PDB file of all heavy atoms in Angstrom:
ATOM      1  N   LEU Z 404      21.739  84.359 -23.681  1.00 91.00           N
ATOM      2  CA  LEU Z 404      21.314  83.064 -23.219  1.00 91.00           C
ATOM      3  C   LEU Z 404      22.475  82.298 -22.518  1.00 91.00           C
ATOM      4  O   LEU Z 404      23.560  82.263 -23.016  1.00 91.00           O
ATOM      5  CB  LEU Z 404      20.864  82.181 -24.431  1.00 91.00           C
ATOM      6  CG  LEU Z 404      20.432  80.782 -24.149  1.00 91.00           C
ATOM      7  CD1 LEU Z 404      19.074  80.795 -23.375  1.00 91.00           C
ATOM      8  CD2 LEU Z 404      20.336  79.933 -25.366  1.00 91.00           C
ATOM      9  N   LYS Z 405      22.179  81.770 -21.392  1.00 91.00           N
ATOM     10  CA  LYS Z 405      23.098  80.991 -20.646  1.00 91.00           C
ATOM     11  C   LYS Z 405      23.159  79.592 -21.279  1.00 91.00           C
ATOM     12  O   LYS Z 405      22.157  78.950 -21.500  1.00 91.00           O
ATOM     13  CB  LYS Z 405      22.735  80.903 -19.163  1.00 91.00           C
ATOM     14  CG  LYS Z 405      22.865  82.211 -18.425  1.00 91.00           C
ATOM     15  CD  LYS Z 405      22.531  82.014 -16.926  1.00 91.00           C
ATOM     16  CE  LYS Z 405      22.609  83.354 -16.186  1.00 91.00           C
ATOM     17  NZ  LYS Z 405      22.332  83.215 -14.729  1.00 91.00           N
ATOM     18  N   THR Z 406      24.390  79.110 -21.498  1.00 90.00           N
ATOM     19  CA  THR Z 406      24.561  77.881 -22.244  1.00 90.00           C
ATOM     20  C   THR Z 406      24.958  76.745 -21.337  1.00 90.00           C
ATOM     21  O   THR Z 406      25.259  75.629 -21.885  1.00 90.00           O
ATOM     22  CB  THR Z 406      25.583  78.116 -23.338  1.00 90.00           C
ATOM     23  OG1 THR Z 406      26.851  78.493 -22.693  1.00 90.00           O
ATOM     24  CG2 THR Z 406      25.183  79.135 -24.325  1.00 90.00           C
ATOM     25  N   ASP Z 407      24.803  76.866 -20.023  1.00 91.00           N
ATOM     26  CA  ASP Z 407      25.136  75.735 -19.120  1.00 91.00           C
ATOM     27  C   ASP Z 407      23.928  74.830 -19.123  1.00 91.00           C
ATOM     28  O   ASP Z 407      22.717  75.182 -19.252  1.00 91.00           O
ATOM     29  CB  ASP Z 407      25.334  76.248 -17.672  1.00 91.00           C
ATOM     30  CG  ASP Z 407      26.601  77.120 -17.637  1.00 91.00           C
ATOM     31  OD1 ASP Z 407      27.515  76.991 -18.508  1.00 91.00           O
ATOM     32  OD2 ASP Z 407      26.602  78.016 -16.774  1.00 91.00           O
ATOM     33  N   ASN Z 408      24.190  73.521 -18.985  1.00 91.00           N
ATOM     34  CA  ASN Z 408      23.201  72.465 -18.804  1.00 91.00           C
ATOM     35  C   ASN Z 408      22.184  72.501 -19.918  1.00 91.00           C
ATOM     36  O   ASN Z 408      20.972  72.265 -19.703  1.00 91.00           O
ATOM     37  CB  ASN Z 408      22.472  72.590 -17.392  1.00 91.00           C
ATOM     38  CG  ASN Z 408      23.484  72.499 -16.293  1.00 91.00           C
ATOM     39  OD1 ASN Z 408      24.426  71.743 -16.324  1.00 91.00           O
ATOM     40  ND2 ASN Z 408      23.325  73.383 -15.285  1.00 91.00           N
ATOM     41  N   MET Z 409      22.583  72.623 -21.111  1.00 93.00           N
ATOM     42  CA  MET Z 409      21.646  72.523 -22.271  1.00 93.00           C
ATOM     43  C   MET Z 409      21.521  71.100 -22.736  1.00 93.00           C
ATOM     44  O   MET Z 409      22.432  70.259 -22.543  1.00 93.00           O
ATOM     45  CB  MET Z 409      22.142  73.410 -23.422  1.00 93.00           C
ATOM     46  CG  MET Z 409      22.259  74.871 -23.056  1.00 93.00           C
ATOM     47  SD  MET Z 409      22.416  75.932 -24.465  1.00 93.00           S
ATOM     48  CE  MET Z 409      20.750  76.045 -25.007  1.00 93.00           C
ATOM     49  N   THR Z 410      20.373  70.821 -23.305  1.00 94.00           N
ATOM     50  CA  THR Z 410      20.151  69.458 -23.856  1.00 94.00           C
ATOM     51  C   THR Z 410      19.693  69.575 -25.348  1.00 94.00           C
ATOM     52  O   THR Z 410      19.183  70.617 -25.787  1.00 94.00           O
ATOM     53  CB  THR Z 410      19.019  68.702 -23.069  1.00 94.00           C
ATOM     54  OG1 THR Z 410      17.888  69.485 -23.129  1.00 94.00           O
ATOM     55  CG2 THR Z 410      19.498  68.450 -21.606  1.00 94.00           C
ATOM     56  N   MET Z 411      19.908  68.465 -25.996  1.00 94.00           N
ATOM     57  CA  MET Z 411      19.423  68.324 -27.365  1.00 94.00           C
ATOM     58  C   MET Z 411      18.537  67.145 -27.501  1.00 94.00           C
ATOM     59  O   MET Z 411      18.886  66.094 -26.937  1.00 94.00           O
ATOM     60  CB  MET Z 411      20.638  68.182 -28.369  1.00 94.00           C
ATOM     61  CG  MET Z 411      20.248  67.932 -29.816  1.00 94.00           C
ATOM     62  SD  MET Z 411      21.697  67.436 -30.826  1.00 94.00           S
ATOM     63  CE  MET Z 411      22.046  65.848 -30.125  1.00 94.00           C
ATOM     64  N   GLN Z 412      17.437  67.218 -28.154  1.00 93.00           N
ATOM     65  CA  GLN Z 412      16.501  66.143 -28.273  1.00 93.00           C
ATOM     66  C   GLN Z 412      16.154  65.894 -29.731  1.00 93.00           C
ATOM     67  O   GLN Z 412      15.799  66.787 -30.492  1.00 93.00           O
ATOM     68  CB  GLN Z 412      15.231  66.410 -27.484  1.00 93.00           C
ATOM     69  CG  GLN Z 412      14.299  65.188 -27.380  1.00 93.00           C
ATOM     70  CD  GLN Z 412      13.085  65.484 -26.499  1.00 93.00           C
ATOM     71  OE1 GLN Z 412      12.395  66.431 -26.671  1.00 93.00           O
ATOM     72  NE2 GLN Z 412      12.831  64.624 -25.552  1.00 93.00           N
ATOM     73  N   PHE Z 413      16.218  64.572 -30.060  1.00 92.00           N
ATOM     74  CA  PHE Z 413      15.753  64.137 -31.370  1.00 92.00           C
ATOM     75  C   PHE Z 413      14.285  63.802 -31.242  1.00 92.00           C
ATOM     76  O   PHE Z 413      13.921  63.126 -30.243  1.00 92.00           O
ATOM     77  CB  PHE Z 413      16.522  62.937 -31.847  1.00 92.00           C
ATOM     78  CG  PHE Z 413      17.935  63.178 -32.363  1.00 92.00           C
ATOM     79  CD1 PHE Z 413      18.989  62.550 -31.781  1.00 92.00           C
ATOM     80  CD2 PHE Z 413      18.116  64.078 -33.397  1.00 92.00           C
ATOM     81  CE1 PHE Z 413      20.279  62.812 -32.200  1.00 92.00           C
ATOM     82  CE2 PHE Z 413      19.434  64.344 -33.830  1.00 92.00           C
ATOM     83  CZ  PHE Z 413      20.478  63.700 -33.183  1.00 92.00           C
ATOM     84  N   MET Z 414      13.485  64.227 -32.180  1.00 90.00           N
ATOM     85  CA  MET Z 414      11.995  63.895 -32.192  1.00 90.00           C
ATOM     86  C   MET Z 414      11.647  63.525 -33.605  1.00 90.00           C
ATOM     87  O   MET Z 414      12.348  63.878 -34.605  1.00 90.00           O
ATOM     88  CB  MET Z 414      11.268  65.143 -31.747  1.00 90.00           C
ATOM     89  CG  MET Z 414      11.529  65.521 -30.289  1.00 90.00           C
ATOM     90  SD  MET Z 414      10.665  67.001 -29.830  1.00 90.00           S
ATOM     91  CE  MET Z 414      11.385  68.202 -30.889  1.00 90.00           C
ATOM     92  N   GLN Z 415      10.478  62.841 -33.713  1.00 89.00           N
ATOM     93  CA  GLN Z 415      10.012  62.404 -34.993  1.00 89.00           C
ATOM     94  C   GLN Z 415       8.492  62.566 -35.019  1.00 89.00           C
ATOM     95  O   GLN Z 415       7.767  62.142 -34.140  1.00 89.00           O
ATOM     96  CB  GLN Z 415      10.382  60.912 -35.231  1.00 89.00           C
ATOM     97  CG  GLN Z 415      10.159  60.464 -36.640  1.00 89.00           C
ATOM     98  CD  GLN Z 415      10.816  59.100 -36.861  1.00 89.00           C
ATOM     99  OE1 GLN Z 415      10.908  58.304 -35.927  1.00 89.00           O
ATOM    100  NE2 GLN Z 415      11.259  58.829 -38.123  1.00 89.00           N
ATOM    101  N   GLU Z 416       8.084  63.169 -36.150  1.00 89.00           N
ATOM    102  CA  GLU Z 416       6.645  63.301 -36.346  1.00 89.00           C
ATOM    103  C   GLU Z 416       6.047  61.942 -36.744  1.00 89.00           C
ATOM    104  O   GLU Z 416       6.602  61.241 -37.604  1.00 89.00           O
ATOM    105  CB  GLU Z 416       6.414  64.232 -37.527  1.00 89.00           C
ATOM    106  CG  GLU Z 416       6.766  65.696 -37.212  1.00 89.00           C
ATOM    107  CD  GLU Z 416       5.918  66.363 -36.215  1.00 89.00           C
ATOM    108  OE1 GLU Z 416       4.799  65.860 -36.028  1.00 89.00           O
ATOM    109  OE2 GLU Z 416       6.315  67.384 -35.595  1.00 89.00           O
ATOM    110  N   ASP Z 417       4.917  61.598 -36.125  1.00 87.00           N
ATOM    111  CA  ASP Z 417       4.375  60.319 -36.320  1.00 87.00           C
ATOM    112  C   ASP Z 417       2.907  60.566 -36.908  1.00 87.00           C
ATOM    113  O   ASP Z 417       2.059  61.075 -36.171  1.00 87.00           O
ATOM    114  CB  ASP Z 417       4.332  59.408 -35.093  1.00 87.00           C
ATOM    115  CG  ASP Z 417       3.952  57.968 -35.454  1.00 87.00           C
ATOM    116  OD1 ASP Z 417       2.715  57.725 -35.701  1.00 87.00           O
ATOM    117  OD2 ASP Z 417       4.842  57.154 -35.395  1.00 87.00           O
ATOM    118  N   GLU Z 418       2.697  60.194 -38.107  1.00 86.00           N
ATOM    119  CA  GLU Z 418       1.386  60.454 -38.694  1.00 86.00           C
ATOM    120  C   GLU Z 418       0.292  59.598 -38.180  1.00 86.00           C
ATOM    121  O   GLU Z 418      -0.904  60.007 -38.013  1.00 86.00           O
ATOM    122  CB  GLU Z 418       1.464  60.227 -40.263  1.00 86.00           C
ATOM    123  CG  GLU Z 418       2.399  61.238 -40.970  1.00 86.00           C
ATOM    124  CD  GLU Z 418       2.450  60.930 -42.474  1.00 86.00           C
ATOM    125  OE1 GLU Z 418       1.781  60.004 -42.946  1.00 86.00           O
ATOM    126  OE2 GLU Z 418       3.198  61.674 -43.165  1.00 86.00           O
ATOM    127  N   ALA Z 419       0.662  58.339 -37.834  1.00 85.00           N
ATOM    128  CA  ALA Z 419      -0.389  57.479 -37.321  1.00 85.00           C
ATOM    129  C   ALA Z 419      -0.848  57.943 -35.927  1.00 85.00           C
ATOM    130  O   ALA Z 419      -2.010  57.864 -35.581  1.00 85.00           O
ATOM    131  CB  ALA Z 419       0.170  56.035 -37.221  1.00 85.00           C
ATOM    132  N   LEU Z 420       0.070  58.419 -35.091  1.00 87.00           N
ATOM    133  CA  LEU Z 420      -0.219  58.760 -33.728  1.00 87.00           C
ATOM    134  C   LEU Z 420      -0.655  60.246 -33.641  1.00 87.00           C
ATOM    135  O   LEU Z 420      -1.075  60.748 -32.609  1.00 87.00           O
ATOM    136  CB  LEU Z 420       0.905  58.534 -32.858  1.00 87.00           C
ATOM    137  CG  LEU Z 420       1.395  57.094 -32.667  1.00 87.00           C
ATOM    138  CD1 LEU Z 420       2.651  56.984 -31.821  1.00 87.00           C
ATOM    139  CD2 LEU Z 420       0.336  56.192 -32.134  1.00 87.00           C
ATOM    140  N   LYS Z 421      -0.410  60.993 -34.761  1.00 88.00           N
ATOM    141  CA  LYS Z 421      -0.786  62.430 -34.819  1.00 88.00           C
ATOM    142  C   LYS Z 421      -0.039  63.164 -33.706  1.00 88.00           C
ATOM    143  O   LYS Z 421      -0.651  64.035 -33.085  1.00 88.00           O
ATOM    144  CB  LYS Z 421      -2.288  62.617 -34.749  1.00 88.00           C
ATOM    145  CG  LYS Z 421      -3.088  61.836 -35.699  1.00 88.00           C
ATOM    146  CD  LYS Z 421      -2.811  62.376 -37.107  1.00 88.00           C
ATOM    147  CE  LYS Z 421      -3.714  61.622 -38.069  1.00 88.00           C
ATOM    148  NZ  LYS Z 421      -3.387  61.891 -39.537  1.00 88.00           N
ATOM    149  N   MET Z 422       1.234  62.904 -33.486  1.00 88.00           N
ATOM    150  CA  MET Z 422       2.025  63.579 -32.471  1.00 88.00           C
ATOM    151  C   MET Z 422       3.505  63.518 -32.773  1.00 88.00           C
ATOM    152  O   MET Z 422       3.916  62.710 -33.631  1.00 88.00           O
ATOM    153  CB  MET Z 422       1.689  62.987 -31.107  1.00 88.00           C
ATOM    154  CG  MET Z 422       2.072  61.483 -30.960  1.00 88.00           C
ATOM    155  SD  MET Z 422       1.593  60.720 -29.389  1.00 88.00           S
ATOM    156  CE  MET Z 422       2.667  61.587 -28.287  1.00 88.00           C
ATOM    157  N   THR Z 423       4.243  64.365 -32.154  1.00 88.00           N
ATOM    158  CA  THR Z 423       5.693  64.364 -32.201  1.00 88.00           C
ATOM    159  C   THR Z 423       6.266  63.478 -31.127  1.00 88.00           C
ATOM    160  O   THR Z 423       6.081  63.801 -29.920  1.00 88.00           O
ATOM    161  CB  THR Z 423       6.248  65.783 -32.171  1.00 88.00           C
ATOM    162  OG1 THR Z 423       5.652  66.592 -33.252  1.00 88.00           O
ATOM    163  CG2 THR Z 423       7.743  65.830 -32.331  1.00 88.00           C
ATOM    164  N   LEU Z 424       7.005  62.461 -31.483  1.00 89.00           N
ATOM    165  CA  LEU Z 424       7.529  61.581 -30.533  1.00 89.00           C
ATOM    166  C   LEU Z 424       8.988  61.834 -30.242  1.00 89.00           C
ATOM    167  O   LEU Z 424       9.808  62.054 -31.089  1.00 89.00           O
ATOM    168  CB  LEU Z 424       7.442  60.129 -31.059  1.00 89.00           C
ATOM    169  CG  LEU Z 424       5.985  59.703 -31.456  1.00 89.00           C
ATOM    170  CD1 LEU Z 424       6.031  58.231 -32.039  1.00 89.00           C
ATOM    171  CD2 LEU Z 424       5.061  59.767 -30.326  1.00 89.00           C
ATOM    172  N   PRO Z 425       9.336  61.757 -28.953  1.00 90.00           N
ATOM    173  CA  PRO Z 425      10.773  61.930 -28.630  1.00 90.00           C
ATOM    174  C   PRO Z 425      11.528  60.649 -28.990  1.00 90.00           C
ATOM    175  O   PRO Z 425      10.993  59.535 -28.936  1.00 90.00           O
ATOM    176  CB  PRO Z 425      10.736  62.115 -27.067  1.00 90.00           C
ATOM    177  CG  PRO Z 425       9.450  61.454 -26.675  1.00 90.00           C
ATOM    178  CD  PRO Z 425       8.487  61.614 -27.757  1.00 90.00           C
ATOM    179  N   VAL Z 426      12.765  60.850 -29.386  1.00 89.00           N
ATOM    180  CA  VAL Z 426      13.600  59.752 -29.833  1.00 89.00           C
ATOM    181  C   VAL Z 426      14.697  59.471 -28.772  1.00 89.00           C
ATOM    182  O   VAL Z 426      14.929  58.451 -28.249  1.00 89.00           O
ATOM    183  CB  VAL Z 426      14.145  59.895 -31.226  1.00 89.00           C
ATOM    184  CG1 VAL Z 426      15.101  58.753 -31.601  1.00 89.00           C
ATOM    185  CG2 VAL Z 426      12.995  60.005 -32.305  1.00 89.00           C
ATOM    186  N   LYS Z 427      15.521  60.618 -28.579  1.00 90.00           N
ATOM    187  CA  LYS Z 427      16.622  60.536 -27.645  1.00 90.00           C
ATOM    188  C   LYS Z 427      17.041  61.920 -27.246  1.00 90.00           C
ATOM    189  O   LYS Z 427      16.988  62.888 -27.994  1.00 90.00           O
ATOM    190  CB  LYS Z 427      17.845  59.817 -28.267  1.00 90.00           C
ATOM    191  CG  LYS Z 427      18.831  59.196 -27.292  1.00 90.00           C
ATOM    192  CD  LYS Z 427      18.295  57.927 -26.626  1.00 90.00           C
ATOM    193  CE  LYS Z 427      19.311  57.294 -25.725  1.00 90.00           C
ATOM    194  NZ  LYS Z 427      18.775  56.138 -25.058  1.00 90.00           N
ATOM    195  N   THR Z 428      17.442  61.999 -25.990  1.00 93.00           N
ATOM    196  CA  THR Z 428      17.879  63.290 -25.421  1.00 93.00           C
ATOM    197  C   THR Z 428      19.378  63.215 -24.988  1.00 93.00           C
ATOM    198  O   THR Z 428      19.762  62.239 -24.468  1.00 93.00           O
ATOM    199  CB  THR Z 428      17.023  63.681 -24.288  1.00 93.00           C
ATOM    200  OG1 THR Z 428      15.651  63.746 -24.661  1.00 93.00           O
ATOM    201  CG2 THR Z 428      17.424  65.073 -23.718  1.00 93.00           C
ATOM    202  N   PHE Z 429      20.074  64.242 -25.331  1.00 94.00           N
ATOM    203  CA  PHE Z 429      21.545  64.268 -25.016  1.00 94.00           C
ATOM    204  C   PHE Z 429      21.873  65.552 -24.180  1.00 94.00           C
ATOM    205  O   PHE Z 429      21.400  66.650 -24.594  1.00 94.00           O
ATOM    206  CB  PHE Z 429      22.375  64.276 -26.315  1.00 94.00           C
ATOM    207  CG  PHE Z 429      22.275  63.068 -27.085  1.00 94.00           C
ATOM    208  CD1 PHE Z 429      21.153  62.884 -27.984  1.00 94.00           C
ATOM    209  CD2 PHE Z 429      23.164  62.003 -27.030  1.00 94.00           C
ATOM    210  CE1 PHE Z 429      21.043  61.709 -28.738  1.00 94.00           C
ATOM    211  CE2 PHE Z 429      23.070  60.849 -27.768  1.00 94.00           C
ATOM    212  CZ  PHE Z 429      21.977  60.726 -28.586  1.00 94.00           C
ATOM    213  N   LYS Z 430      22.621  65.419 -23.137  1.00 94.00           N
ATOM    214  CA  LYS Z 430      23.188  66.561 -22.452  1.00 94.00           C
ATOM    215  C   LYS Z 430      24.355  67.058 -23.283  1.00 94.00           C
ATOM    216  O   LYS Z 430      25.188  66.306 -23.690  1.00 94.00           O
ATOM    217  CB  LYS Z 430      23.628  66.164 -21.032  1.00 94.00           C
ATOM    218  CG  LYS Z 430      22.517  65.827 -20.081  1.00 94.00           C
ATOM    219  CD  LYS Z 430      22.994  65.596 -18.715  1.00 94.00           C
ATOM    220  CE  LYS Z 430      21.861  65.312 -17.735  1.00 94.00           C
ATOM    221  NZ  LYS Z 430      22.324  65.074 -16.369  1.00 94.00           N
ATOM    222  N   LEU Z 431      24.313  68.335 -23.503  1.00 94.00           N
ATOM    223  CA  LEU Z 431      25.331  68.930 -24.388  1.00 94.00           C
ATOM    224  C   LEU Z 431      26.587  69.381 -23.639  1.00 94.00           C
ATOM    225  O   LEU Z 431      26.478  69.827 -22.444  1.00 94.00           O
ATOM    226  CB  LEU Z 431      24.750  70.137 -25.155  1.00 94.00           C
ATOM    227  CG  LEU Z 431      23.624  69.816 -26.138  1.00 94.00           C
ATOM    228  CD1 LEU Z 431      23.074  71.073 -26.729  1.00 94.00           C
ATOM    229  CD2 LEU Z 431      24.080  68.873 -27.224  1.00 94.00           C
ATOM    230  N   PRO Z 432      27.727  69.221 -24.240  1.00 93.00           N
ATOM    231  CA  PRO Z 432      28.966  69.673 -23.603  1.00 93.00           C
ATOM    232  C   PRO Z 432      28.981  71.177 -23.445  1.00 93.00           C
ATOM    233  O   PRO Z 432      28.156  71.909 -24.093  1.00 93.00           O
ATOM    234  CB  PRO Z 432      30.082  69.180 -24.524  1.00 93.00           C
ATOM    235  CG  PRO Z 432      29.399  69.055 -25.826  1.00 93.00           C
ATOM    236  CD  PRO Z 432      27.985  68.624 -25.588  1.00 93.00           C
ATOM    237  N   SER Z 433      29.805  71.701 -22.629  1.00 90.00           N
ATOM    238  CA  SER Z 433      29.919  73.090 -22.459  1.00 90.00           C
ATOM    239  C   SER Z 433      30.356  73.809 -23.803  1.00 90.00           C
ATOM    240  O   SER Z 433      31.034  73.160 -24.593  1.00 90.00           O
ATOM    241  CB  SER Z 433      30.960  73.438 -21.382  1.00 90.00           C
ATOM    242  OG  SER Z 433      30.570  72.905 -20.147  1.00 90.00           O
ATOM    243  N   VAL Z 434      29.916  74.985 -23.970  1.00 90.00           N
ATOM    244  CA  VAL Z 434      30.204  75.729 -25.142  1.00 90.00           C
ATOM    245  C   VAL Z 434      31.742  75.979 -25.267  1.00 90.00           C
ATOM    246  O   VAL Z 434      32.371  76.335 -24.238  1.00 90.00           O
ATOM    247  CB  VAL Z 434      29.497  77.101 -25.179  1.00 90.00           C
ATOM    248  CG1 VAL Z 434      30.065  78.011 -26.261  1.00 90.00           C
ATOM    249  CG2 VAL Z 434      28.057  76.909 -25.388  1.00 90.00           C
ATOM    250  N   THR Z 435      32.323  75.692 -26.335  1.00 84.00           N
ATOM    251  CA  THR Z 435      33.716  75.829 -26.537  1.00 84.00           C
ATOM    252  C   THR Z 435      34.018  77.046 -27.438  1.00 84.00           C
ATOM    253  O   THR Z 435      33.300  77.228 -28.429  1.00 84.00           O
ATOM    254  CB  THR Z 435      34.410  74.602 -27.202  1.00 84.00           C
ATOM    255  OG1 THR Z 435      33.777  74.341 -28.453  1.00 84.00           O
ATOM    256  CG2 THR Z 435      34.228  73.371 -26.297  1.00 84.00           C
ATOM    257  N   ALA Z 436      35.012  77.783 -27.051  1.00 74.00           N
ATOM    258  CA  ALA Z 436      35.396  78.901 -27.906  1.00 74.00           C
ATOM    259  C   ALA Z 436      36.124  78.349 -29.170  1.00 74.00           C
ATOM    260  O   ALA Z 436      36.674  77.212 -29.068  1.00 74.00           O
ATOM    261  CB  ALA Z 436      36.325  79.853 -27.136  1.00 74.00           C
ATOM    262  N   ASP Z 437      36.080  79.023 -30.202  1.00 74.00           N
ATOM    263  CA  ASP Z 437      36.739  78.606 -31.430  1.00 74.00           C
ATOM    264  C   ASP Z 437      38.188  78.819 -31.311  1.00 74.00           C
ATOM    265  O   ASP Z 437      38.792  79.835 -31.844  1.00 74.00           O
ATOM    266  CB  ASP Z 437      36.118  79.315 -32.627  1.00 74.00           C
ATOM    267  CG  ASP Z 437      36.611  78.655 -33.923  1.00 74.00           C
ATOM    268  OD1 ASP Z 437      37.113  77.547 -33.879  1.00 74.00           O
ATOM    269  OD2 ASP Z 437      36.432  79.257 -35.007  1.00 74.00           O
ATOM    270  N   VAL Z 438      38.866  77.975 -30.581  1.00 82.00           N
ATOM    271  CA  VAL Z 438      40.246  78.148 -30.305  1.00 82.00           C
ATOM    272  C   VAL Z 438      41.087  77.792 -31.584  1.00 82.00           C
ATOM    273  O   VAL Z 438      40.895  76.794 -32.179  1.00 82.00           O
ATOM    274  CB  VAL Z 438      40.768  77.247 -29.158  1.00 82.00           C
ATOM    275  CG1 VAL Z 438      42.264  77.352 -28.887  1.00 82.00           C
ATOM    276  CG2 VAL Z 438      39.946  77.541 -27.898  1.00 82.00           C
ATOM    277  N   PRO Z 439      41.973  78.722 -32.014  1.00 90.00           N
ATOM    278  CA  PRO Z 439      42.721  78.369 -33.252  1.00 90.00           C
ATOM    279  C   PRO Z 439      43.710  77.250 -32.966  1.00 90.00           C
ATOM    280  O   PRO Z 439      44.113  76.959 -31.890  1.00 90.00           O
ATOM    281  CB  PRO Z 439      43.487  79.679 -33.479  1.00 90.00           C
ATOM    282  CG  PRO Z 439      43.617  80.351 -32.159  1.00 90.00           C
ATOM    283  CD  PRO Z 439      42.335  79.985 -31.427  1.00 90.00           C
ATOM    284  N   ALA Z 440      43.989  76.498 -34.040  1.00 90.00           N
ATOM    285  CA  ALA Z 440      44.922  75.425 -34.010  1.00 90.00           C
ATOM    286  C   ALA Z 440      46.299  75.968 -33.575  1.00 90.00           C
ATOM    287  O   ALA Z 440      46.697  77.016 -33.947  1.00 90.00           O
ATOM    288  CB  ALA Z 440      45.049  74.675 -35.280  1.00 90.00           C
ATOM    289  N   ALA Z 441      46.968  75.209 -32.677  1.00 93.00           N
ATOM    290  CA  ALA Z 441      48.280  75.612 -32.169  1.00 93.00           C
ATOM    291  C   ALA Z 441      49.294  75.667 -33.324  1.00 93.00           C
ATOM    292  O   ALA Z 441      49.007  75.259 -34.445  1.00 93.00           O
ATOM    293  CB  ALA Z 441      48.731  74.647 -31.095  1.00 93.00           C
TER     294      ALA Z 441
END
Side-chain angles (χ1 to χ4, degrees):
L404 179 72
K405 293 183 178 181
T406 57
D407 297 333
N408 301 319
M409 300 194 78
T410 59
M411 175 191 69
Q412 187 176 52
F413 286 122
M414 297 177 295
Q415 191 169 32
E416 295 288 341
D417 194 286
E418 295 181 0
L420 299 177
K421 306 297 183 184
M422 60 185 294
T423 301
L424 303 178
V426 178
K427 201 74 173 177
T428 304
F429 296 82
K430 290 184 178 181
L431 294 177
S433 300
V434 169
T435 58
D437 191 13
V438 178

